[in-house]
Amino acid sequence: MLGTIARRSLSSKTVLHELPKLPYAYDALEPVLSRELMELHHSKHHAAYVTNLNAALQKQEELEEAGDVAAMVALQPAIKFNGGGHVNHSIFWTNLAPAKQGGGGQPSGALSQAIDKRWGSFDAFKTDMTNKAMAIQGSGWAWLSYDPSTKGLTVVTCANQDPCSTTGTVPLLGIDMWEHAFYLSYRNVKANYLKEIWSIVNWKNVEERFADASK
Ligand code: MN3
């Protein structure tokens, strides 16, 4: 039995994921997002998605070796939820930056032009994304994303931790609309979270993602 486990461990093909470090301190996004909120969000919520994703992927490998297709199918919601949570938060942290490190302001260059082409103005885009984020019922995400089918920008929303890729578009800028993302700083007033978060958006990161997605 032990021998079997050791062999399986040595021959495991499962790639284990790690919680990425934040590119700024837990208190760096204050007063928009408090230190306590950021620390819990990263070191507890995101960490749990990573732990549970790794457990599910290791379970999947065991089931694959055992040829248990029914159990593999039953495992997929855990991979979707925890894998989506890991993917979404890994993008989200890099989408944000303290004002001192370039957070806030407006996009420039090709991204700015693409926003104007789709919405007419940066303010019109912000209004559209804010309205779509506000309309999410329960937990989910709003994304500014690149749609390969139109070669243009769009705003999509996803329930739970479904990653933006499930919409067929490429994520550029995400806004986490789970209560854990704003409640400690804004209580129930989602609208204020959506008003303030623009002042810590790392547009340089979003521009890089747009350049990668649209080339
Ligand atoms: Mn979250």
Side-chain angles (χ1 to χ4, degrees), residues 12-135:
S12 174
K13 294 183 186 69
T14 301
V15 176
L16 295 182
H17 297 270
E18 288 182 352
L19 180 66
K21 285 207 169 77
L22 285 187
Y24 35 74
Y26 283 131
D27 63 1
L29 302 179
E30 290 189 338
V32 179
L33 299 173
S34 75
R35 182 201 58 74
E36 185 185 18
L37 184 156
M38 286 299 295
E39 186 165 359
L40 285 169
H41 200 174
H42 176 258
S43 73
K44 301 296 180 189
H45 290 279
H46 188 174
Y49 299 127
V50 173
T51 300
N52 294 332
L53 172 65
N54 285 333
L57 292 176
Q58 286 176 305
K59 183 72 183 166
Q60 178 171 257
E61 186 179 348
E62 288 173 25
L63 294 170
E64 203 170 359
E65 282 179 18
D68 192 339
V69 176
M72 283 173 68
V73 171
L75 186 65
Q76 295 315 301
I79 294 177
K80 185 178 188 182
F81 184 77
N82 294 294
H86 178 41
V87 166
N88 290 340
H89 290 87
S90 297
I91 297 169
F92 182 57
W93 308 133
T94 68
N95 282 162
L96 303 177
K100 283 179 203 162
Q101 292 172 34
Q106 295 197 13
S108 59
L111 179 62
S112 172
Q113 289 166 18
I115 285 173
D116 287 348
K117 188 179 171 193
R118 170 65 181 77
W119 285 279
S121 71
F122 179 64
D123 282 345
F125 150 70
K126 279 204 300 185
T127 299
D128 187 35
M129 188 155 174
T130 299
N131 289 343
K132 284 177 176 157
M134 279 297 290

Side-chain angles (χ1 to χ4, degrees), residues 41 89 141 176 180:
H41 200 174
H89 290 87
W141 290 75
D176 189 342
H180 69 225

